[in-house]
Amino acid sequence: MSEKAQQKKHASDEESEEESDEEELIVEEPEDPSVIRIGVIADTEVTLGLLLAGIGYHRENFRNYLMVEHGTTLDELEEFFQALYKRPNIGIILLDYPSAKRLNHVLDKCKKMLPIVVILPTKASIIPYMEEKDRQRRQRQRDAYM
């Protein structure tokens, strides 16, 4: 064999080894149904913090987080929330306060025990959040005296 033919054969062998290595990396294990995950629908700052803490999950065209920005439509929020709410392996859904206010009509219909929906106040919404909680507390106290 000529030297060029040997180089081509050697190069093609290396390429086939690289392709087989890539194929091995693509093969994923099936998802464990006993693992309960946390879903996140929040602004970029909160979501990034939770992703750095290790909550993020991405597999088979599904991810468990949505970074809500000013351009995020209500339909996108509702669709993603419903996708999280219907998944059997989601145990907690973390919503930031502005997103929860936008999804209020959807949250009222949620009656299942799991997933638990937790509303997180953000820096920008802490004052309105505390004012609303205080107003609700005063209303409960008034109702208790009547």
Side-chain angles (χ1 to χ4, degrees):
M1 277 183 155
S2 70
E3 190 174 316
K4 286 185 178 182
Q6 288 177 349
Q7 287 176 350
K8 284 183 181 180
K9 183 179 179 188
H10 184 66
S12 66
D13 289 343
E14 286 179 4
E15 287 176 10
S16 64
E17 287 178 19
E18 287 176 10
E19 288 176 5
S20 65
D21 289 342
E22 289 176 9
E23 289 174 6
E24 290 174 13
L25 295 176
I26 293 173
V27 176
E28 294 182 7
E29 296 178 16
E31 186 175 350
D32 185 4
S34 64
V35 175
I36 301 297
R37 302 204 179 273
I38 297 173
V40 179
I41 302 175
D43 64 354
T44 306
E45 189 175 273
V46 173
T47 305
L48 283 175
L50 292 168
L51 290 176
L52 288 171
I55 289 179
Y57 174 77
H58 183 75
R59 178 178 279 182
E60 299 172 10
N61 298 326
F62 174 77
R63 63 177 196 263
N64 67 334
Y65 59 90
L66 175 67
M67 291 188 196
V68 180
E69 298 173 347
H70 294 293
T72 307
T73 64
L74 182 60
D75 290 337
E76 288 175 296
L77 276 175
E78 287 177 5
E79 183 179 321
F80 190 78
F81 178 80
Q82 291 297 339
L84 282 178
Y85 193 73
K86 291 177 182 174
R87 284 186 73 90
N89 66 338
I90 298 290
I92 299 172
I93 299 176
L94 301 174
L95 288 170
D96 67 342
Y97 186 72
S99 299
K101 284 195 73 92
R102 290 174 66 187
L103 290 172
N104 196 23
H105 62 285
V106 176
L107 294 174
D108 289 340
K109 298 175 187 173
C110 298
K111 303 295 182 201
K112 292 187 340 185
M113 184 169 279
L114 282 178
I116 297 169
V117 178
V118 179
I119 299 172
L120 306 172
T122 59
K123 288 191 295 187
S125 66
I126 193 72
I127 301 296
Y129 177 80
M130 294 303 291
E131 287 173 354
E132 182 177 330
K133 289 296 178 186
D134 190 44
R135 185 176 45 79
Q136 290 174 351
R137 181 187 53 80
R138 280 189 257 132
Q139 183 65 38
R140 282 193 305 270
Q141 287 176 344
R142 278 190 223 123
D143 291 344
Y145 289 117
M146 292 184 176

